[in-house]
Structures are given as structure tokens and as C-alpha cells.
Amino acid sequence: MNETITFGRYEISTDPARLDRALVHRWLSTDAYWARGRERGRQDRAIDGSLNFGAYDGETGAQAAYARVVTDLATFAWLCDVYVHPAARGGGLGTGLVGAVRDHLAPYGLKRVLLATEDAHGLYARLGFEPLADPGRWMSLAPS
């Protein structure tokens, strides 16, 4: 079921049909350090396999931010690809978007919601995220 909430002048929606996929791809592949150079087909597959959140200007309808969550909606979620257009930064939209994601996931009772960030620790900490208590327990597989 799609959800829409109002945050200031923005609507935050989980409706994937509202996403401007070309815009999301441009933002991430050219301006996001973690996704720079990502191919459009790969981005479309990521969108198709995820729970997506778009933030839209309530007056113009233009997309102003994006986030996606990879989850089973039962035990685990990974919040990723959080991006706010530069013109919309500084007004709390990033905090509102991540808060909407957190609140949307809360009823599922997930054991863990993870994310990785290079430079936004403060934003996520304000919303309840903490560094891993025991990072030595975690491993990753990154095929070359």
C-alpha cells in the first residue's frame, strides 16, 4: 500500500509511479559519491527491487529528494541512496525524509535497520541511528 505524508511544503510518497527515474539516476550517478557512474539499468533494477520514497514539492510536483530501502519487511532493512537536491538542502527535508522512512518501517517491528554514510552521521543520529555496537561481528562480500 502506498503512503503519502506531508512535510512542510513537501509530499513524501512511497508510490513508485511518482518517481522521476531519469532524475534519480542523474542525481545518483553524477552527484552521489557512493553511486557515481552507476548505470541507468542498474539503477532501475535497484528501484524495482526496493521500497522507494520520493519527496515532491507540493506546489510544482517536482521531485526534490529520494531514498530507498532494501528490506524483507520482517526482520531487516538497509536504508540507502538518500539524496536531496541541492536547491532543497538546508531546510530539513533530508531529516524529514529519513524520519518518514523510519516511521514507515516502525510497524513492521524490524530487528535492524542499517545504513552507511561518509558524512551525515549527525543527521542520522538525530533520528535514532547509532554506530554498530560490535562492528567486528559484521562482514561483507564485495566481488571484484
Side-chain angles (χ1 to χ4, degrees):
M1 172 189 277
N2 295 323
E3 177 182 21
T4 300
I5 65 158
T6 300
F7 178 79
R9 67 184 250 200
Y10 297 99
E11 291 181 343
I12 299 173
S13 173
T14 60
D15 183 355
R18 290 187 70 181
L19 293 173
D20 183 335
R21 289 173 174 242
L23 179 63
V24 169
H25 174 254
R26 186 170 64 246
W27 285 345
L28 296 177
S29 68
T30 63
D31 193 38
Y33 66 84
W34 65 90
R36 199 164 284 124
R38 186 181 291 169
E39 297 171 357
R40 172 68 191 266
R42 183 174 301 273
Q43 181 61 48
D44 284 341
R45 287 194 313 274
I47 288 170
D48 292 339
S50 301
L51 172 61
N52 299 277
F53 294 78
Y56 307 90
D57 185 295
E59 293 178 17
T60 68
Q63 189 167 345
Y66 173 74
R68 71 182 179 94
V69 178
V70 180
T71 183
D72 59 10
L73 294 176
T75 62
F76 177 81
W78 171 42
L79 172 60
C80 55
D81 287 347
V82 178
Y83 185 90
V84 178
H85 186 275
R89 292 178 188 164
L93 180 55
T95 302
L97 178 60
V98 174
V101 170
R102 179 200 58 202
D103 295 349
H104 182 88
L105 294 174
Y108 295 101
L110 304 175
K111 180 173 175 75
R112 186 166 284 111
V113 178
L114 293 180
L115 62 85
T117 184
E118 186 175 285
D119 57 2
H121 295 80
L123 179 147
Y124 295 111
R126 286 192 300 273
L127 292 163
F129 287 86
E130 302 173 340
L132 290 173
D134 189 359
R137 294 177 70 180
W138 291 86
M139 298 181 74
S140 70
L141 174 65
S144 50

